[in-house]
């Protein structure tokens, strides 16, 4: 029994004794100062590298698409730099405290094998994120629609693209954070110009040639009045005939992601023009039945 207590007392003394010496506190203070210096240096390096990245991509911004692409790539590079710098700082600090980084990495490898099957989704998210960025499927600021196996997930403006997930801000205000691996079908509305299409019903008694001539002159003025129209709106022709009207179809090429606003502008301007010119719209045909069966 005495041997046990002597052993415990020896262990306790070995633990407490270092804290009774001033050298211990001096060493701890030196270690803390060293950690603060490493952290400050890391923050300075990250800040300088981020500014260099911003400056580099600022020189590449020659058009709107280039600016969006530069924003996407710069955000990704900043994330990578931050991860790498902090990893180096952490491993350096651990090494200064006598902790074997190699042993930790070896242990992490064993643990990684154990949880590898559970982390397959994360790995898939990261790989998909790199494909999205380097294949230029969409950029920050693009308006996209995301589907999964044909079912719509979300639609809105890309707010940020991360290595593992993407943030999409919907038109109605919702912010959706999607793992990159679930975005199997992507529709990007901001890559190419759109086509605004409207159908205008005109009363059958109105002369088609005269209506087309007046509309053509009017539509040419819209190109200079609205920047979203890339070219002059044009009349495609008579789309359909009904009992009391013919349907005239009008098309206008718009800047990317402005198809719906362009169609709304066309409807409003054409409606005002028809009213000003006195061009009639079709009136409903009313038929009266007396309810009697034929003999």
């Amino acid at each position: 029994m005495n041997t046990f207590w002597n052993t415990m007392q020896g262990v306790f003394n070995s633990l407490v004794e270092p804290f009774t010496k001033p050298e211990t506190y001096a060493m701890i203070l030196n270690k803390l100062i060293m950690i603060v210096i490493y952290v400050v240096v890391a923050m300075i390096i990250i800040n300088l590298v981020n500014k260099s990245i911003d400056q580099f991509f600022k020189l590449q911004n020659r058009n709107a698409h280039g600016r969006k692409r530069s924003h996407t790539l710069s955000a990704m590079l900043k994330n990578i730099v931050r991860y790498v710098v902090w990893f180096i700082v952490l491993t350096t600090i651990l090494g200064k405290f006598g902790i074997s980084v190699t042993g930790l990495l070896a242990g992490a490898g064993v643990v990684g094998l154990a949880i590898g099957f559970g982390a397959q989704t994360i790995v898939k998210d990261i790989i998909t994120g790199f494909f999205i960025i380097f294949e230029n499927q969409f950029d920050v600021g693009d308006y996209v629609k995301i589907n999964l196996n044909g079912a719509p997930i979300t639609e809105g403006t890309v707010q940020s693209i991360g290595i593992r997930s993407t943030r999409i801000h919907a038109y109605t205000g919702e912010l959706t954070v999607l793992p990159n691996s679930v975005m199997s079908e992507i529709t990007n509305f901001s890559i190419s110009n759109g086509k605004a299409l409207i159908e205008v019903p005109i009363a059958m008694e109105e002369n088609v040639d005269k209506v087309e001539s007046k509309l053509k002159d009017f539509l040419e003025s819209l190109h200079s009045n609205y920047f979203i129209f890339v070219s002059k709106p044009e009349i495609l022709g008579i789309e359909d005939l009904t009992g009391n009207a013919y349907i005239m179809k009008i098309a206008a090429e718009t800047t990317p992601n402005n198809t719906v606003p362009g169609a709304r502008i066309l409807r409003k301007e054409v409606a005002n023009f028809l009213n000003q010119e006195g061009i009639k719209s079709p009136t409903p045909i009313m038929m009266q039945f007396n309810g009697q069966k034929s003999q």
Side-chain angles (χ1 to χ4, degrees), residues 190-257:
S190 301
I191 294 295
S192 57
N193 293 337
K195 182 78 74 173
L197 297 171
I198 66 169
E199 295 182 349
V200 182
I202 307 294
M204 189 66 74
E205 60 264 26
E206 297 287 347
N207 184 277
V208 176
D209 293 332
K210 289 183 179 180
V211 172
E212 284 189 346
S213 179
K214 291 182 179 181
L215 269 176
K216 183 178 179 181
D217 295 336
F218 167 72
L219 293 175
E220 289 181 355
S221 65
L222 294 183
H223 180 223
S224 58
N225 293 337
Y226 294 94
F227 73 93
I228 68 173
F229 293 127
V230 176
S231 59
K232 297 177 181 179
E234 59 179 345
I235 300 173
L236 300 182
I238 304 302
E239 183 72 12
D240 195 11
L241 295 173
T242 63
N244 63 336
Y246 54 87
I247 309 299
M248 186 171 292
K249 195 163 191 176
I250 300 174
E253 186 178 2
T254 67
T255 53
N257 196 31

Side-chain angles (χ1 to χ4, degrees), residues 48-61 74 78:
L48 291 176
V49 174
N50 286 346
K51 288 183 178 179
S52 300
I53 292 173
D54 289 336
Q55 186 63 27
F56 173 79
F57 282 107
K58 186 177 180 180
L59 298 175
Q60 310 300 316
N61 294 340
S74 65
K78 288 177 182 178

Side-chain angles (χ1 to χ4, degrees), residues 47-179:
N47 189 40
L48 291 176
V49 174
N50 286 346
K51 288 183 178 179
S52 300
I53 292 173
D54 289 336
Q55 186 63 27
F56 173 79
F57 282 107
K58 186 177 180 180
L59 298 175
Q60 310 300 316
N61 294 340
R62 297 172 181 170
N63 51 54
H65 179 69
R67 286 191 293 271
K68 291 191 296 183
R69 184 64 178 161
S70 296
H71 188 187
T72 302
L73 292 177
S74 65
M76 183 197 68
L77 289 177
K78 288 177 182 178
N79 286 332
I80 293 175
V81 168
R82 185 170 65 250
Y83 294 145
V84 170
V85 170
W86 286 120
F87 176 78
I88 293 174
V89 169
L90 178 61
T91 54
T92 303
I93 292 175
L94 291 177
K96 293 295 183 181
F97 279 92
I99 301 175
S100 174
V101 178
T102 305
L104 287 176
L105 293 177
V110 175
V111 175
L113 289 175
I115 65 174
F117 290 103
Q120 287 182 3
T121 302
I122 296 177
V123 175
K124 186 178 179 181
D125 290 337
I126 294 173
I127 294 175
T128 306
F130 276 108
F131 277 116
I132 289 173
I133 293 171
F134 288 108
E135 290 183 353
N136 195 20
Q137 296 180 12
F138 55 81
D139 290 317
V140 173
D142 286 353
Y143 191 88
V144 298
K145 180 180 180 181
I146 307 297
N147 290 351
L148 176 62
N149 299 327
I153 301 177
T154 188
E155 181 177 340
T157 303
V158 179
Q159 188 177 74
S160 65
I161 303 174
I163 296 178
R164 201 184 80 81
S165 63
T166 296
R167 295 172 179 265
I168 298 177
H169 191 255
Y171 178 76
T172 51
E174 300 90 352
L175 178 65
T176 304
V177 181
L178 289 176

Side-chain angles (χ1 to χ4, degrees), residues 28-44 86 89 93 97:
I28 293 175
L29 181 60
N30 289 335
K31 298 289 187 184
L32 291 176
I33 293 174
M34 180 194 64
I35 292 174
V36 171
I37 292 174
Y38 279 131
V39 170
V40 171
V41 171
M43 294 174 66
I44 293 174
W86 286 120
V89 169
I93 292 175
F97 279 92

